[in-house]
Amino acid sequence: MTNLLDGIDEILLMGPGPSCVHPEVYKALNRFTLGHLDPHFIKIMDQIQVLLQKILNTDNKLTIPVSGTGSAGMETCFVNLIEPKDKVLILINGVFGKRMCEVATRLGADVEVMEFEWGTPIDPGQVKEKLARNSYNLIAMVHAETSTGVKNPIEEISHIIKETESLFLVDAVTSLGGIEIKVDEWGIDAIYSGTQKCLSVPPGLAPVSFSEKALLKVKNRKTKVPNWYLDMSLVGEYWQKDHKRAYHHTAPINMLYALYQSLLLFFEEGAKNVFQRHVECHNNLRVGLEELGLKMYVEEKYRLPMLNAVAIPEGIDEAEVRKKLRFEHNIEIGGGLGPLAGKIWRIGLMGHTAQVKNVERLLTALRSVL
Ligand SMILES: Cc1ncc(COP(=O)(O)O)c(C=O)c1O
C-alpha cells in the first residue's frame, strides 16, 4: 500500500493558518511520549501555564491550553460563562464574530449582535452608545479578525466595557504571539487562542485564560456546564498546581511539548522582537504588492501585520492564482470568505512564516503568476 505521507512536500504556508511550524517545534513533537501524570510531564505543564500567563500579560491562575483547536477555546469560554437566557452582546465584523454568535445561540443565550462592515473595524463610539442604554452578562469580540485582516480597537473598547458589570470575552486566535495582548490591563475576563497561527505549532491546542470574575461566574452557575469535556471546573483540577491533578481526559502530551517549545522560542527571541519581525514582514509585503499594482483591502490604521487582505484586481481568476502558487511554487495563500469570497486574497505572515525571505519568495512567485 502506498504511504500517502511520503507525498507531502514542504509547503510555505502563507494563508490564514496553519502557519509554518518551527523546526524546533517539530523536534519537540518527536520526543518520547510520557504518561499524562508523569512527574516530569507535570513540570512541563506548570511551565506552560507560567509561559502562557507571561505571553498574555496576566496573573490569571486558570490559564491553560484546552485540548482542541481555536474553536474548542471559543466553546470553552461560552459554555462555561453563559447560561440559558443570559444576555450576550457580540460585536461582529467577520466570520469569527459570527461563529461566536452561533455558539452562544446554541447555548440558549439571549444574543444581541452589533454588526460592522467586513473589512472595517468595530466602532467603539457605537459600542459606547449601545452600552449606555443596555446591560449584558457578557460582551464578546474578536481581536484579530482573520477573515478580513482587521485589527479591532480592543484597548478603546476595553475602556468602555470596564465601566459596565459585563464579562469581557476576547478571541485571540490570530493575535496571540503576533501582536501584544494585555489581558489584565484591558480587563479581559476570558480569552482563547489557537496554536496554529503565530505560535507556529500545528493545530490542536487552544490556550485559554479566565479572570477571577469569570471563575466566580462559573462557581455561581445555577446550571451545570452543559459540556463535560470543556467544563473548566473539572479540567482545572487536572491542570492547576495545588489541585488534585485528577485525571479528566488524557492530555495530548506531544502537542503540549510542542506548545512548550514554541513559548520558549517566543521568549528567547523576545516579545518586542517577535512583534517587530511581524511588522517588518508586513511592511515589505505591502511595498512589494504595491509595486505589483495590488492594493491592501483594509485601511492602514486597522491592518493586522500577520493577516494581509489584498484586493483582487478586476479580470483575475483568483482561484487559478492560488492554484499556481500552490502547485508551481509550493506556496499556500488563502481566498476570501463569505461576502469577501472572490474579492480578497488572505496572505498570512504568522509566527515562523513571518520571515523576510518568505515575503520575497512569495513576491517573486506572484510576479511570475500574475
Ligand atoms: C479569529 C479566529 N477565531 C477562531 C478560529 C477557529 O479556530 P480553529 O479553526 O482552530 O478551530 C479561527 C481560525 O482560523 C480564527 O482565525
Side-chain angles (χ1 to χ4, degrees):
M1 201 187 276
T2 47
N3 183 342
L4 291 173
L5 300 177
D6 291 336
I8 299 179
D9 291 328
E10 189 172 1
I11 302 295
L12 177 53
L13 294 169
M14 301 190 93
S19 62
C20 294
V21 172
H22 195 288
E24 291 300 321
V25 172
Y26 277 133
K27 278 197 214 159
L29 282 163
N30 204 24
R31 300 266 184 177
F32 295 114
T33 302
L34 287 170
H36 63 98
L37 292 171
D38 187 282
H40 192 81
F41 182 62
I42 287 176
K43 278 192 202 155
I44 296 175
M45 289 167 66
D46 288 345
Q47 275 311 301
I48 290 174
Q49 286 183 272
V50 169
L51 294 168
L52 283 178
Q53 285 172 327
K54 197 166 162 195
I55 199 170
L56 287 165
N57 289 298
T58 182
D59 291 330
N60 287 344
K61 285 206 186 92
L62 190 73
T63 301
I64 62 172
V66 166
S67 310
T69 65
S71 305
M74 186 189 289
E75 292 264 8
T76 299
C77 292
F78 279 104
V79 92
N80 282 276
L81 294 180
I82 59 177
E83 295 192 80
K85 306 266 189 307
D86 273 2
K87 285 194 73 185
V88 171
L89 176 67
I90 303 183
L91 311 174
I92 301 178
N93 60 343
V95 166
F96 296 101
K98 276 208 172 302
R99 186 173 299 179
M100 284 178 156
C101 184
E102 174 69 25
V103 171
T105 310
R106 282 173 188 232
L107 293 167
D110 175 3
V111 180
E112 261 183 63
V113 300
M114 286 183 82
E115 286 218 50
F116 303 86
E117 196 183 329
W118 290 32
T120 70
I122 295 167
D123 175 5
Q126 287 185 46
V127 175
K128 191 172 182 162
E129 257 178 48
K130 179 93 177 161
L131 296 186
R133 287 179 277 109
N134 301 279
S135 60
Y136 299 92
N137 299 95
L138 183 139
I139 301 170
M141 66 174 277
V142 176
H143 185 194
E145 187 38 91
T146 329
S147 60
T148 62
V150 167
K151 178 168 66 179
N152 278 316
I154 189 165
E155 196 169 352
E156 266 178 275
I157 295 171
S158 80
H159 293 312
I160 301 164
I161 296 179
K162 268 187 199 164
E163 301 295 312
T164 72
E165 296 289 305
S166 268
L167 290 170
F168 183 26
L169 166 57
V170 172
D171 174 317
V173 172
T174 285
S175 49
L176 182 65
I179 48 178
E180 191 156 61
I181 298 176
K182 296 180 173 175
V183 168
D184 290 355
E185 197 178 311
W186 296 341
I188 295 172
D189 292 298
I191 189 161
Y192 61 88
S193 187
T195 45
Q196 77 275 25
K197 311 264 184 185
C198 296
L199 295 177
S200 302
V201 174
L205 289 173
V208 302
S209 183
F210 279 46
S211 72
E212 288 301 319
K213 183 171 159 191
L215 288 177
L216 199 65
K217 165 78 189 184
V218 178
K219 194 170 160 218
N220 293 334
R221 288 179 65 101
K222 292 179 216 70
T223 55
K224 259 189 175 177
V225 172
N227 180 309
W228 176 86
Y229 194 72
L230 303 175
D231 184 335
M232 279 299 102
S233 55
L234 304 177
V235 180
E237 287 298 308
Y238 171 59
W239 266 94
Q240 287 179 287
K241 252 189 178 157
D242 311 326
H243 285 238
K244 280 189 277 179
R245 296 287 186 190
Y247 163 71
H248 177 258
H249 65 274
T250 311
I253 311 289
N254 292 53
M255 275 301 292
L256 290 162
Y257 298 164
L259 173 60
Y260 171 65
Q261 181 64 64
S262 97
L263 292 168
L264 289 182
L265 289 165
F266 180 90
F267 288 109
E268 259 166 43
E269 186 176 350
K272 272 206 179 116
N273 297 334
V274 175
F275 300 150
Q276 185 49 39
R277 175 164 52 78
H278 282 81
V279 170
E280 187 189 350
C281 287
H282 162 76
N283 287 336
N284 288 11
L285 178 70
R286 178 187 49 77
V287 170
L289 290 172
E290 282 169 5
E291 279 168 11
L292 285 171
L294 296 168
K295 289 197 176 71
M296 304 299 283
Y297 190 77
V298 174
E299 190 192 327
E300 191 173 348
K301 191 172 165 203
Y302 299 106
R303 281 179 205 154
L304 286 167
M306 74 287 273
L307 196 288
N308 298 270
V310 182
I312 297 168
E314 290 272 312
I316 297 260
D317 181 344
E318 76 84 19
E320 191 58 26
V321 171
R322 282 190 287 126
K323 203 162 137 195
K324 283 191 173 158
L325 286 174
R326 169 64 181 84
F327 294 103
E328 293 172 14
H329 299 271
N330 279 2
I331 301 175
E332 177 184 280
I333 66 165
L337 296 175
L340 297 183
K343 292 194 178 149
I344 57 167
W345 286 306
R346 290 180 302 150
I347 302 178
L349 295 170
M350 299 176 178
H352 189 55
T353 299
Q355 296 182 56
V356 170
K357 66 173 187 206
N358 291 338
V359 174
E360 280 164 11
R361 187 171 145 197
L362 173 67
L363 290 169
T364 305
L366 270 175
R367 228 167 272 134
S368 89
V369 168
L370 291 171

